[in-house]
Amino acid sequence: MTTVVNLKTRAQATYSLDPVEAVQAAYIQFELKDFSTWSYEKRKAAMPVLVYGEHSVACGDWTATIKPS
């Protein structure tokens, strides 16, 4: 399970996805208002670039922790 947090609003969403896919899903759902999960692969191409930190990944204001391996 991955919890994604909006750094601007502090809203949270939990997904049974890896952190990268969870951040992308949160961005698509809450920023683009698209809950059509079957169309996400097409949407990912038009998304902002993912930003990777040492222990996190972000897309827009949405971020998730990447657990160290």
Side-chain angles (χ1 to χ4, degrees):
M1 299 299 284
T2 302
T3 299
V4 181
V5 178
N6 184 303
L7 297 175
K8 187 174 183 181
T9 65
R10 298 188 182 180
Q12 295 184 8
T14 302
Y15 298 91
S16 58
L17 300 168
D18 67 67
V20 172
E21 290 179 328
V23 166
Q24 291 174 321
Y27 183 86
I28 293 169
Q29 288 178 350
F30 299 107
E31 300 301 321
L32 303 180
K33 309 292 188 223
D34 181 355
F35 289 83
S36 306
T37 56
W38 58 89
S39 70
Y40 284 7
E41 286 304 314
K42 292 179 186 174
R43 286 285 202 176
K44 287 179 188 178
M47 288 177 49
V49 174
L50 291 172
V51 177
Y52 290 88
E54 187 174 347
H55 299 287
S56 63
V57 61
C59 183
D61 293 323
W62 293 93
T63 189
T65 300
I66 299 174
K67 294 184 171 95
S69 43

